Amino acid sequence: MTVRVRFAPSPTGFLHIGSVRTALFNWLYARHTGGTFVLRIEDTDTARNTEQSLRTILDGLAWLSLKHDEGPYFQSQRAEIYRRRIQELKDKGLAYERDGAVRFKMPREPVVMNDLIAGTVTRELTDREALDPDFVIVRSDGNPVFHFVNVVDDLEMKITHVIRGEDHLSNTPKHIALFRAFGAEPPAYAHIPMILNADGTKMSKSDPDPAKARLASLANYITDGYVPEAVRNYLCLLGWSPKDDRQVLPIEEVIQKFDLPQILRSNARFDVTKLTWLNGEYLRTMPVDRFIELAQPFGGGDPKVLALVKDKLKLLKELPEKTRHFVSDDFPVDPEAAAKWSGAGERLHRLADKFAATAWEAPALEAALKGLATELGIKPAELIHPCRVAVSGTTAGPSLYHMLEVLGRDRVLARLRK
Ligand code: GLU
């Protein structure tokens, strides 16, 4: 059997981080099995669909390099197929009209589902459903409902595995009944547990806490300067694990190991601190060229400067702040560091004089600084730290001598003397 999976978002808003993980798990399963990843846009709710939302979905998937093999199919263009399928059920006596709507004759006996993650779930009709078990599949305005078009498309598109959020588990008995009504075997189901905030609350764009609200939407990670490799890596680990403690996982390895029964049954907790750490790891270890490419939307800069600060960032949005002293004399100075080294003025003048007579290359600058330390009978650190504060405003940062080299002679001498 060739695996066919799909991501079937409704373009009615922003792209939720949970949906992104659903797309990722579908994509991983397709890549793992050599199957096909279908993209289907569930846009039958014309009142709520927006072009902007569709763009956000397509851009988000492209940003994460989750390429689909087929589609996108648009449900809004498939009305004829749905009409045919409604007729089929009517002809079989399994659908009928009442009050202008078309209803499906829901079987009265319990539906048993074998979910690849949730296990065996037996669903009986609720008391309310038992009073009127037949549910609407075409509304009186002529529009077929979600349950119906979702099943028809999974059937027509020969989907073998439905991998989706656990919030759809309660819809599945209806879906299974519809498949059987068409004389088809339902696909295998894998309902993925939810992603919750660290405090166990639902991840929602309308959370009253703005910091938590931001976490729900993929777009915010893009603007904050997370890199796609890191976000994808982190989402792989939300609900799935390679069964060891490693956090940095090359995607090729995840593809090779990923399988549905390993997905954890419990809800995942979103740990933004871990994601941010992981992002720093990706920035640190990625090739400089890739870093320069990713830095462009964040102001870019001189490639030599970018190469210097690359290892010091957690998020790309920190770039302007971390590179400010390379492009302007107006940079913030850490008051604590400045106070600590306020008595070093004389030393820094001596250093400036020394540097004035030195070839402007990192190794020569290092030798000059160390030479002066010996002359003055002090430890090199007693020159290194105040020098760093004078030229960059802080005691932390990239390799001092490389930074001096990139800053250039004029800037460095002026700042030391100032
Ligand atoms: N359009 C549905 C959603 O976005 C699809 C559910 C499914 O994957 O079957 O939740």
Side-chain angles (χ1 to χ4, degrees):
M1 174 187 67
T2 321
V3 164
R4 289 177 60 83
V5 291
R6 85 301 192 270
F7 177 49
S10 309
T12 53
F14 66 113
L15 185 53
H16 193 282
I17 198 76
S19 304
V20 176
R21 198 223 6 199
T22 298
L24 172 66
F25 280 15
N26 276 283
W27 178 85
L28 282 171
Y29 194 58
R31 295 289 79 88
H32 175 76
T33 55
T36 302
F37 177 46
V38 176
L39 178 59
R40 179 170 82 222
I41 306 297
E42 301 212 323
D43 59 347
T44 48
D45 189 348
T46 42
R48 292 176 63 222
N49 295 323
T50 67
E51 192 60 36
Q52 170 63 30
S53 171
L54 174 63
R55 263 283 118 232
T56 309
I57 292 168
L58 298 177
D59 291 351
L61 295 177
W63 187 74
L64 287 163
S65 301
L66 301 181
K67 277 213 213 76
H68 50 275
D69 306 303
E70 238 184 78
Y73 296 108
F74 292 87
Q75 288 188 327
S76 56
Q77 295 168 6
R78 299 169 60 80
E80 191 42 47
I81 295 168
Y82 307 136
R83 249 194 300 279
R84 258 199 353 257
R85 289 292 189 171
I86 291 288
Q87 196 53 50
E88 180 184 338
L89 291 185
K90 283 183 176 168
D91 292 347
K92 285 183 171 171
L94 296 173
Y96 60 92
E97 288 196 34
R98 196 213 306 165
D99 312 334
V102 181
R103 280 170 192 264
F104 172 66
K105 270 198 193 155
M106 183 68 182
R108 272 49 178 169
E109 54 284 353
V111 177
V112 181
M113 309 176 257
N114 285 311
D115 192 273
L116 290 170
I117 301 167
T120 304
V121 182
T122 306
R123 179 92 197 306
E124 309 201 23
L125 296 177
T126 62
D127 289 349
R128 222 178 113 227
E129 283 168 345
L131 293 174
D132 191 6
D134 300 345
F135 62 91
V136 171
I137 50 176
V138 182
R139 282 187 286 263
S140 49
D141 63 7
N143 284 320
V145 306
F146 159 70
H147 300 301
F148 184 77
V149 294
N150 183 268
V151 166
V152 167
D153 282 349
D154 284 343
L155 181 57
E156 297 264 343
M157 295 173 191
K158 301 188 166 51
I159 298 303
T160 58
H161 295 71
V162 167
I163 306 168
R164 62 184 173 190
E166 204 179 58
D167 47 336
H168 285 291
L169 191 60
S170 59
N171 294 325
T172 308
K174 289 192 171 87
H175 297 185
I176 289 176
L178 279 167
F179 273 105
R180 297 209 170 120
F182 286 118
E185 251 325 288
Y189 287 97
H191 285 92
I192 323 170
M194 301 282 104
I195 307 177
L196 304 176
N197 283 314
D199 62 5
T201 54
K202 207 175 145 214
M203 292 187 87
S204 159
K205 198 183 136 189
S206 36
D207 196 293
D209 176 347
K212 275 200 272 164
R214 295 197 87 242
L215 296 179
S217 167
L218 179 72
N220 294 328
Y221 298 87
I222 302 177
T223 47
D224 280 354
Y226 288 90
V227 299
E229 296 91 325
V231 173
R232 199 169 62 177
N233 185 148
Y234 182 66
L235 291 179
C236 287
L237 295 171
L238 275 183
W240 177 86
S241 136
K243 299 210 170 76
D244 57 39
D245 284 342
R246 283 173 317 137
Q247 308 294 334
V248 181
L249 294 170
I251 195 72
E252 296 74 25
E253 190 186 331
V254 180
I255 289 172
Q256 195 218 326
K257 294 189 172 154
F258 186 84
D259 208 355
L260 297 174
Q262 298 162 359
I263 295 176
L264 305 175
R265 279 192 187 197
S266 51
N267 289 330
R269 299 276 173 123
F270 198 90
D271 181 349
V272 70
T273 312
K274 186 161 144 189
L275 167 61
T276 308
W277 167 81
L278 197 58
N279 204 58
E281 288 299 298
Y282 269 88
L283 289 172
R284 202 168 57 71
T285 51
M286 71 175 50
V288 176
D289 287 351
R290 171 75 174 142
F291 179 75
I292 292 174
E293 178 190 328
L294 290 169
Q296 294 316 308
F298 295 86
D302 181 338
K304 283 192 300 219
V305 171
L306 293 179
L308 264 186
V309 299
K310 170 178 174 289
D311 298 1
K312 302 291 163 190
L313 299 179
K314 284 217 166 65
L315 298 174
L316 285 165
K317 75 168 176 191
E318 298 161 3
L319 200 58
E321 175 206 318
K322 293 272 201 254
T323 57
R324 180 121 151 241
H325 59 281
F326 288 100
V327 291
S328 159
D329 289 327
D330 177 24
F331 54 88
V333 175
D334 171 7
E336 227 173 274
K340 179 162 181 203
W341 298 103
S342 60
E346 179 55 34
R347 248 179 276 163
L348 292 182
H349 275 283
R350 295 283 299 269
L351 187 61
D353 295 343
K354 195 93 182 168
F355 280 170
T358 303
W360 209 257
E361 281 159 8
L365 293 165
E366 179 170 5
L369 183 142
K370 289 190 170 152
L372 179 63
T374 311
E375 272 171 48
L376 296 177
I378 56 176
K379 290 198 209 96
E382 290 175 77
L383 284 170
I384 291 173
H385 294 310
C387 174
R388 202 186 258 292
V389 178
V391 301
S392 69
T394 160
T395 45
S399 143
L400 174 67
Y401 307 110
H402 289 100
M403 178 164 76
L404 296 175
E405 185 183 307
V406 173
L407 279 166
R409 188 190 302 267
D410 293 348
R411 251 195 187 128
V412 169
L413 298 190
R415 288 181 191 176
L416 289 174
R417 289 181 171 135
K418 189 176 160 203

